[in-house]
Amino acid sequence: MHIAPSILTADFTRLGEEVTAAFEAGIRWLHLDVMDGRFVPNISFGPMLVRPLKPIADRYGAIVDAHLMIADPDRYLEDFAAAGCDYITVHAEVCPHLHRTVQQIRALGKRPGVALNPATPLSAIEDVLSDLDLVLVMSVNPGFGGQRFIPASLDKLRRARRMIDERGLSGVALQVDGGVNKDLIAAVRDAGATVAVTGSAVYAPGRDRAEMIADLQKALAT
Ligand code: DX5
Ligand code: ZN
């Protein structure tokens, strides 16, 4: 399973060093939380922050995925594709023409993902699942790092895993995002997640990044 740090709680005065520290500790997936202050209460950053981070990721052969917690994502697909994201994930809740949006991401040469908020049923992606490269099960209500994991997310992950496996879609990544820490990371893996987003469990103020990542890797070794 990939541990995918979210830079949301990283030290933005030295972001390059922060992501390099994660890659040096063996991380090969970076999760970028894009927020617009409309779909979610918080505002974070746009494609211009992806640009400088992508060459660092390339040096390590690491994946960069953009989690678009934004209204009307169709307007920005080209910008995030041009900025170098490997995966572009949109929220089902803001895509009335989700099948077309997924096709547009793929037409841009990128891997499409769809994210589901805690209250959004898996049925929302049932009819586009075979067109996806990633399903993101939100285990918090999106907008902020450092929130508590919603326990019902484990059952939702297990059902999503079953849905993907029943269709033989082995290439589809199952990502979980929100409140995942060293006490929960083995449980989300066992529930079927293949990518675990970890924000504050890596980028905690004043904590050593390599140590935090080692703690997560140790928890997965159980
Ligand atoms: C949605 C964001 C956060 C972030 C993870 O709000 O997507 O979930 O990635 O942050 P932590 O791991 O601190 O919950
Ligand atoms: Zn996210």
Side-chain angles (χ1 to χ4, degrees):
M1 182 174 75
H2 278 280
I3 298 169
S6 158
I7 60 170
L8 216 51
T9 50
D11 177 351
F12 272 51
T13 66
R14 35 189 221 89
L15 205 45
E17 292 158 56
E18 289 274 63
V19 297
T20 301
F23 294 141
E24 284 293 317
I27 294 297
R28 290 297 178 266
W29 191 307
L30 189 65
H31 182 80
L32 302 180
D33 280 314
V34 179
M35 301 177 180
D36 65 356
R38 280 178 58 206
F39 176 62
V40 292
N42 203 356
I43 297 177
S44 61
F45 48 79
M48 67 172 68
L49 198 78
V50 178
R51 285 188 188 285
L53 297 179
K54 175 67 176 151
I56 303 173
D58 286 348
R59 280 206 291 277
Y60 294 84
I63 290 165
V64 174
D65 90 84
H67 174 195
L68 302 187
M69 287 167 273
I70 65 175
D72 195 6
D74 289 1
R75 289 177 55 202
Y76 299 97
L77 299 179
E78 281 184 39
D79 294 346
F80 282 97
C85 302
D86 301 293
Y87 288 74
I88 299 176
T89 299
V90 295
H91 267 264
E93 299 87 359
V94 285
C95 293
H97 305 291
L98 184 58
H99 181 272
R100 182 167 62 198
T101 300
V102 167
Q103 301 309 316
Q104 282 172 329
I105 295 170
R106 200 167 290 287
L108 288 165
K110 302 304 176 182
R111 291 178 174 280
V114 175
L116 300 173
N117 281 340
T120 306
L122 289 168
S123 57
I125 54 162
E126 204 165 353
D127 295 312
V128 282
L129 187 57
S130 56
D131 297 312
L132 300 183
D133 284 319
L134 182 141
V135 172
L136 168 46
V137 170
M138 290 304 298
S139 39
V140 295
N141 289 296
F144 300 91
Q147 300 180 81
R148 272 177 51 75
F149 183 88
I150 296 171
S153 311
L154 288 175
D155 176 60
K156 191 169 184 179
L157 278 169
R158 279 190 283 272
R159 286 184 284 115
R161 179 76 271 147
R162 229 181 0 261
M163 203 171 168
I164 293 168
D165 292 350
E166 277 163 4
R167 291 162 174 76
L169 299 172
S170 55
V172 175
L174 179 53
Q175 188 178 53
V176 59
D177 179 2
V180 178
N181 56 31
K182 64 183 183 344
D183 302 326
L184 282 161
I185 195 156
V188 299
R189 177 207 49 204
D190 298 347
T194 57
V195 184
V197 174
T198 52
S200 42
V202 171
Y203 294 116
R207 296 293 307 276
D208 177 77
R209 291 13 181 152
E211 198 182 295
M212 298 289 277
I213 291 166
D215 286 350
L216 292 166
Q217 290 165 334
K218 245 182 268 146
L220 284 174
T222 57

